[in-house]
Amino acid sequence: MTVTGPNYSSTVANYGTGTAWTNPTNAQGSSAYGGASYATCDIHLTTSQYLLFTNYGFTVPGTDSVTGIFVEVNTGLVGAMGDATVEAQLYLGGSLIGTPKTYSGWGVFSIGGSSDMWGVSLITSSDANSSTFGVAIRAIGIDDGPGIVFYGARMTLDSMFGDSDAAPGSSTSGHFLFPWI
């Protein structure tokens, strides 16, 4: 198994309907992920547009298929404390794909894992390496509380050689997490 990443999105934009994010490009790259800059959105009892993170710059070998997707999201609150649900979904070539994942709370969230395909049956190396592959994240305000900030989203891919001699489900290398910058 090959681990690629974590990589940081070099393109961030508003996507879909809902309340637009202010300064979405502030959430791209590694310096944003570490808290240097951020995108904001007031979600008082509303739903934000998706904050679309793409162009991760993966270089998964052509003989590999993705076997798992791991995303870390760094979030925070602005102003009054409140509750919101955050929804993340994979994105490829102009469309949301797979099954959305949700979480509540603030801080750093880990979504997916080394064998989690997010409800997608196949992501090829070509898909993963595409500048249009990424993750779309939106916030849903469930009370009269917060504005939300996104510092960024980084992604790690696990992949396996198509003709690997390894037994199904086995791993030849670990999944590594990296400390904050």
Side-chain angles (χ1 to χ4, degrees):
M1 180 176 292
T2 303
V3 177
T4 307
N7 286 17
Y8 298 90
S9 170
S10 63
T11 304
V12 181
N14 282 306
Y15 174 76
T17 60
T19 304
W21 291 87
T22 303
N23 300 317
T25 58
N26 284 356
Q28 68 193 30
S30 62
S31 62
Y33 187 77
S37 62
Y38 49 85
T40 62
C41 188
D42 286 326
I43 55 165
H44 306 284
L45 299 171
T46 64
T47 299
S48 74
Q49 289 183 339
Y50 284 98
L51 196 54
L52 180 60
F53 295 85
T54 57
N55 205 10
Y56 277 89
F58 288 114
T59 55
V60 176
T63 54
D64 284 14
S65 292
V66 174
T67 59
I69 301 159
F70 178 75
V71 175
E72 289 176 286
V73 179
N74 190 357
T75 66
L77 292 177
V78 174
M81 295 299 287
D83 289 321
T85 297
V86 177
E87 180 181 275
Q89 190 166 359
L90 295 180
Y91 177 90
L92 178 62
S95 299
L96 297 171
I97 61 171
T99 305
K101 296 187 176 285
T102 59
Y103 59 92
S104 295
W106 313 108
V108 178
F109 291 93
S110 300
I111 310 164
S114 62
S115 61
D116 188 341
M117 291 294 293
W118 297 50
V120 177
S121 59
L122 177 66
I123 294 178
T124 67
S125 59
S126 178
D127 293 337
N129 296 339
S130 169
S131 63
T132 65
F133 175 68
V135 62
I137 302 170
R138 69 179 175 175
I140 303 162
I142 58 175
D143 66 16
D144 196 25
I148 187 170
V149 298
F150 273 88
Y151 297 105
R154 62 185 182 183
M155 184 181 290
T156 302
L157 299 179
D158 288 289
S159 62
M160 186 168 287
F161 183 69
D163 296 323
S164 175
D165 292 331
S170 68
S171 173
T172 56
S173 70
H175 184 89
F176 301 98
L177 300 181
F178 296 84
W180 290 109
I181 294 171

